[in-house]
């Protein structure tokens, strides 16, 4: 089955700096790569996703890049703010055509310091 | 819209007790999922239901059963709870058919003593 590795496990940046989280996946058939943000005591929330036919996608301060050849994808957050502090999960889909079963990475705890 | 609603939010069980975690979504999604979240291990798929009337095992199904009661509701049952099942359980749903993003519930924190 699919295996998703995520690095780093913790990341501390100063407010205004950029943060980058990287993930690799093993199944070359995976074609959907979402990122989730989880705040303390809450469920994960989808913040951005990318499909295999696109190399990069941006949404305001957040961007995701995908390298299918190398089987890795990354989350970039620019101009970080204290409210960006959370745990971030990457995931990859090995959908069977009727359900998008996601395999998640182990998470990155991002702390934005003042 | 409420999205995905899970009950209860917290539960303490004794080893060997049984319980059912409830999940309901009001987004008319076809697929529903149960994940468990443990420190350092991310979210692992327990069971999923691609559509009403179907259920399938995920990565860690042992010790659990599920029921897709109707399109809205998907329950997870622990028949004989074990300390290894102490975890936070998340239910999620997705529309599929080209819309793969999950909507998660707020979770159930289960402790088995």
């Amino acid at each position: 089955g699919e295996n998703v590795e995520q690095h780093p496990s913790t990341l501390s940046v100063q407010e205004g700096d950029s943060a980058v989280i990287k993930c690799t996946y093993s199944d070359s058939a995976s074609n959907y790569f979402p990122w989730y943000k989880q705040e303390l005591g809450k469920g994960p929330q989808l913040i951005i996703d990318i499909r295999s036919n696109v190399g990069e996608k941006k949404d305001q301060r957040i961007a995701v890049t995908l390298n299918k050849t190398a089987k890795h994808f990354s989350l970039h957050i620019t101009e970080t703010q204290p409210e960006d502090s959370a745990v971030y999960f990457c995931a990859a889909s090995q959908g069977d055509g009727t359900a998008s079963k996601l395999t998640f990475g182990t998470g990155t705890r991002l702390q934005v310091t003042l | 819209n409420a999205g995905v609603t899970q009950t209860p939010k917290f539960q303490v069980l004794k080893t060997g007790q049984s319980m059912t975690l409830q999940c309901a979504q009001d987004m008319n999604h076809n697929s529903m999922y149960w994940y468990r979240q443990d420190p350092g291990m991310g979210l692992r798929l327990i069971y999923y239901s691609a559509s009403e009337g179907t259920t399938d095992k995920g990565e860690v199904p042992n010790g659990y059963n599920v029921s897709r009661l109707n399109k809205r509701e998907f329950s997870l049952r622990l028949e004989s709870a074990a300390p290894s099942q102490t975890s936070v359980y998340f239910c999620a749903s997705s529309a599929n058919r080209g819309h793969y993003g999950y909507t998660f519930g707020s979770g159930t924190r289960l402790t088995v003593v």
Side-chain angles (χ1 to χ4, degrees), chain B residues 12-46:
Chain B
V12 178
L13 289 179
K14 294 182 178 179
T15 298
Q17 287 185 319
S18 63
M19 79 161 294
T20 300
L21 282 65
Q22 307 287 352
C23 175
Q25 52 92 8
D26 62 2
M27 297 169 287
N28 201 36
H29 283 173
N30 291 314
S31 300
M32 298 185 73
Y33 313 83
W34 277 105
Y35 282 82
R36 61 178 288 173
Q37 183 175 33
D38 302 292
M41 303 188 74
L43 295 114
R44 292 181 293 168
L45 182 63
I46 305 171

Side-chain angles (χ1 to χ4, degrees), chain A residues 31-32 34 36 38 41-46 49 51 87 89 93 96-107, chain B residues 31 33 35 37 40-43 45 48-50 57 59 90 94 96-107:
Chain A
N31 58 10
Y32 174 66
Y36 288 83
Q38 185 178 27
K42 297 184 178 180
Q45 184 175 16
L46 178 68
D49 56 13
R51 299 183 190 278
V87 179
F89 291 96
S93 172
D96 61 4
T98 58
S100 57
K101 293 175 293 181
L102 292 176
T103 299
F104 285 84
T106 52
Chain B
S31 300
Y33 313 83
Y35 282 82
Q37 183 175 33
M41 303 188 74
L43 295 114
L45 182 63
Y48 70 101
S49 170
K57 295 178 180 179
E59 180 186 355
F90 287 100
S94 69
N96 63 44
R97 295 179 182 174
H99 301 279
Y100 299 130
Y102 283 11
T103 299
F104 280 90
S106 57

